[in-house]
Amino acid sequence: MKVVLQRVSKASVKIDDQVKGAINKGYLLLVGVADGDEQADIDYLVRKIHNLRIFEDESGRMNRSIEDVSGAILSISQFTLFADTKKGNRPSFTKAGAPELATVMYDQFNAALRKSGLQVETGEFGADMQVSLTNDGPVTILFDTKSAQ
């Protein structure tokens, strides 16, 4: 699995000009699933995201977690994180998980984040979405479970 995490002061997602999910302070997560991803990938990501300390403390140091600041998450499925751009000008997405697996893994990932105590808003798997955000910092972090464990 791959996740692009952006620390935001606000973020929202619209589908057909209707707001589907919105948060204030927290994380916007772009979530990609590959074939072969499993529960261990979800567990790793939830632990890292829940405990990540990238919010400023009273000294201005990145030392607080999302839970410490009562933040929320907006999670968006993003198969294009697995784009292969090595050949030609049109990306290949063959490394992205099959939709049947990816949708289940995405739902399980969001459920695990909620179970950890975090508020999670989502987009809609496979939908055409318009995502808006204000990246705070900017702070952007990439997680790739295949290179991290």
Side-chain angles (χ1 to χ4, degrees):
M1 289 179 73
K2 291 184 182 183
V3 173
V4 174
L5 177 151
Q6 296 183 63
R7 185 180 75 181
V8 298
S9 55
K10 64 181 176 180
S12 64
V13 58
K14 287 183 177 180
I15 300 171
D16 296 327
D17 287 324
Q18 300 293 318
V19 174
K20 168 79 167 111
I23 63 167
N24 289 313
K25 178 182 261 189
Y27 299 149
L28 170 70
L29 304 180
L30 303 176
V31 182
V33 176
D35 288 330
D37 285 340
E38 55 193 16
Q39 187 63 45
D41 298 293
I42 291 172
D43 295 343
Y44 171 81
L45 287 168
V46 169
R47 184 177 68 254
K48 294 299 283 186
I49 291 166
H50 189 262
N51 295 314
L52 190 66
R53 298 183 315 172
I54 61 171
F55 290 96
E56 293 179 356
D57 64 15
E58 54 281 341
S59 301
R61 295 185 62 204
M62 284 193 220
N63 203 25
R64 290 193 170 150
S65 71
I66 190 169
E67 189 172 44
D68 294 336
V69 299
S70 300
I73 289 175
L74 177 58
S75 175
I76 305 295
S77 62
Q78 185 83 37
F79 77 93
T80 60
L81 292 178
F82 285 96
D84 183 350
T85 59
K86 289 185 177 132
K87 293 183 181 178
N89 295 316
R90 184 177 178 273
S92 168
F93 299 106
T94 58
K95 294 180 182 177
E100 301 77 29
L101 167 72
T103 188
V104 170
M105 291 290 290
Y106 173 68
D107 291 342
Q108 289 175 346
F109 172 69
N110 292 324
L113 286 169
R114 288 183 184 107
K115 186 175 180 184
S116 80
L118 298 173
Q119 174 193 341
V120 180
E121 299 287 325
T122 65
E124 182 179 314
F125 188 90
D128 180 23
M129 297 177 275
Q130 288 69 51
V131 179
S132 299
L133 69 132
T134 302
N135 189 321
D136 180 23
V139 176
T140 302
I141 296 173
L142 174 63
F143 294 96
D144 183 343
T145 61
K146 297 309 177 220
S147 66
Q149 295 178 350

